[in-house]
Amino acid sequence: MQQLEKFSALGLSQKTISALVTKGFEEPTPIQAACIPLLLKEEADVVGKAQTGTGKTAAFGLPILEIVDPHVVEVQALILSPTRELAIQVAAEIESLRGDRDIQILPVYGGASIELQIRRLKRGVHVVVGTPGRVLDHLRRGTLRLDSLQFAVLDEADEILNMGFIEDVEAILEETPSDKRMLLFSAT
Ligand code: AMP
């Protein structure tokens, strides 16, 4: 019997299915069933309404892991989070779904050593999960480049806006290619 057939039916590869078996996921949550095929198959932007706990991180994380090219050592996906706690949590969740893919995921947030983050960025990172202020700081220092970005995700977009990050987010998005895909998740 095929493992995790409901996940396979969404278009995920065997590599990802193996990672999901290890992770212990059995079937997709509703937001995963809705988002994953859209993100894998179509050049669509996505706006999703989802609270924490609904599996939204995997809903965007799994297609990103499928599409990011590990051989292209450039930042291909950027996830903006309202708080450092969330950035750490989202980066850890994506890391846990990575399986044996050689994809480097880095959380970047304020209040932590920027030098360490710069060193990791120099070594090569594919997916950045960050708070807007620190991401902008890296962009202005030239330690983060987003020319090869394929996905920009605003996670908890309502919180990002409530916390007054709109100008930072706009400045960040200005540094990204116009043909990237935009994903926006909000609880409200
Ligand atoms: P999130 O809403 O992304 O913060 O995920 C909440 C928790 O649900 C995390 O611990 C995930 O690992 C877990 N989770 C996400 N999708 C599934 C699934 N399809 N089956 C079981 N657990 C899941």
Side-chain angles (χ1 to χ4, degrees), residues 13-181:
S13 68
Q14 204 46 52
K15 241 183 189 170
T16 294
I17 301 298
S18 303
L20 293 177
V21 170
T22 307
K23 183 89 176 145
F25 287 10
E26 289 174 356
E27 56 176 38
T29 66
I31 185 129
Q32 290 163 5
C35 269
I36 292 171
L38 268 179
L39 289 173
L40 287 179
K41 288 192 205 114
E42 292 166 38
E43 290 295 306
D45 293 341
V46 166
V47 178
K49 188 172 163 178
Q51 316 269 358
T52 300
T54 54
K56 76 175 144 76
T57 313
F60 61 78
L62 292 171
I64 285 174
L65 289 167
E66 291 276 359
I67 292 170
V68 160
D69 183 348
H71 302 293
V72 177
V73 188
E74 313 256 4
V75 176
Q76 295 168 60
L78 172 69
I79 296 135
L80 292 175
S81 299
T83 65
R84 75 150 114 180
E85 289 73 21
L86 190 69
I88 293 168
Q89 184 189 316
V90 166
E93 177 76 0
I94 298 177
E95 179 77 39
S96 78
L97 297 167
R98 172 174 77 90
D100 65 359
R101 288 191 172 91
D102 192 12
I103 293 180
Q104 300 300 315
I105 301 143
L106 181 69
V108 304
Y109 45 83
S113 161
I114 197 158
E115 297 302 329
L116 269 178
Q117 293 171 4
I118 291 171
R119 241 178 282 156
R120 283 287 313 273
L121 287 165
K122 277 197 182 139
R123 262 189 273 145
V125 170
H126 302 91
V127 178
V128 167
V129 187
T131 50
R134 183 56 68 95
V135 168
L136 197 53
D137 192 353
H138 280 292
L139 282 171
R140 296 204 163 133
R141 287 168 185 251
T143 48
L144 172 64
R145 303 195 58 103
L146 298 174
D147 320 74
S148 301
L149 202 73
Q150 300 198 60
F151 291 97
V153 184
L154 296 191
D155 190 18
E156 306 207 349
D158 45 350
E159 285 302 314
I160 292 178
L161 301 187
N162 287 342
M163 290 173 75
F165 284 130
I166 179 94
E167 282 170 15
D168 286 358
V169 171
E170 281 172 356
I172 292 164
L173 292 178
E174 267 172 36
E175 304 297 318
T176 65
S178 54
D179 64 353
K180 70 183 173 301
R181 296 172 69 187

